[in-house]
């Protein structure tokens, strides 16, 4: 055991022991708590921290305004500048997934679930009022909910108002 100790820590009067004494790390004793590596320096700004509460949800920027009181029954879902014209996005609000589309500055909200086979309409493509499902290509008019592929189907729509910069949806 003594030989193994000398191999690992050096001889009690050897160079490594002298160096440890010089550094105040003890004189060749077995590793103790005092010899544990020092705590890491404080993290640099933004390193290893939790995401700030102010960061926009779903990567949408700018963040939905918090100081807007939506009309009764409506909920703020995003900042109007977060979704450029011609784009659609999926938003989960109150446990319900909706697809919000910006048609030339007018916002529409429909269910996110395609009635054909459950495709995520918020990941579809928008061309004017036509929202095309990414799964099998059924197309819906976000303004009326009408399905252009299957006339028997109508997409569920939600009322939308823009209050100051906030797009608000009534579920
Ligand atoms: S799931 Fe949308 S077209 Fe099939």
């Amino acid at each position: 055991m003594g030989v193994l100790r000398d191999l690992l820590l050096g001889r009690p009067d050897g160079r490594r022991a002298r160096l440890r004494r010089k550094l105040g790390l003890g004189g060749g004793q077995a590793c103790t708590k005092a010899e544990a590596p020092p705590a890491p320096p404080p993290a640099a700004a933004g390193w290893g921290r939790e995401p700030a509460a102010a960061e926009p949800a779903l990567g949408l920027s700018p963040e939905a305004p918090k100081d807007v009181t939506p009309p009764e029954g409506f909920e703020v879902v995003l900042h109007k500048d977060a979704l450029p014209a011609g784009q659609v996005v999926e938003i989960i609000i109150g446990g319900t997934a909706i697809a919000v589309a910006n048609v030339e500055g007018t916002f529409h909200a429909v269910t996110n679930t395609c009635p054909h086979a459950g495709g995520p309409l918020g990941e579809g493509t928008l061309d004017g009022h036509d929202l095309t499902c990414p799964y099998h290509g059924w197309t819906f008019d976000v303004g009326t909910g009408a399905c252009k592929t299957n006339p028997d189907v109508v997409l569920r729509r939600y009322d939308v108002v823009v209050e100051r910069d906030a797009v608000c949806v009534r579920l």
Side-chain angles (χ1 to χ4, degrees):
M1 187 67 183
V3 175
L4 181 59
R5 182 181 172 281
D6 285 353
L7 280 173
L8 293 173
L9 300 174
R11 287 174 285 124
D13 57 343
R15 206 180 300 174
R16 281 184 271 174
R18 285 197 305 270
L19 183 58
R20 277 195 298 276
R21 278 193 294 272
K22 204 172 189 176
L23 296 174
L25 298 176
Q29 302 300 311
C31 187
T32 64
K33 191 173 180 186
E35 294 177 42
W47 176 260
R49 65 184 169 90
E50 292 293 319
E55 287 179 7
L58 302 171
L60 296 173
S61 183
E63 184 183 5
K66 288 187 170 44
D67 60 339
V68 170
T69 303
E72 185 160 344
F74 284 77
E75 298 205 40
V76 175
V77 295
L78 73 155
H79 192 289
K80 69 176 181 57
D81 294 336
L83 186 64
Q87 294 199 10
V88 62
V89 68
E90 173 184 341
I91 293 179
I92 296 174
I93 181 164
T96 302
I98 62 174
V100 178
N102 180 347
V103 180
E104 296 170 10
T106 301
F107 291 87
H108 301 272
V110 297
T111 179
N112 188 61
T113 305
C114 178
H116 176 225
L121 293 173
E123 296 175 20
T125 54
L126 191 65
D127 181 12
H129 279 86
D130 293 345
L131 173 60
T132 301
C133 178
Y135 278 13
H136 312 103
W138 281 27
T139 301
F140 304 88
D141 184 325
V142 292
T144 64
C147 179
K148 296 186 170 183
T149 311
N150 182 346
D152 294 336
V153 174
V154 177
L155 206 55
R156 179 170 185 183
R157 297 178 61 251
Y158 300 96
D159 293 334
V160 179
V161 296
V162 177
E163 190 77 24
R164 290 167 39 207
D165 288 337
V167 178
C168 308
V169 174
R170 176 163 55 197
L171 293 181

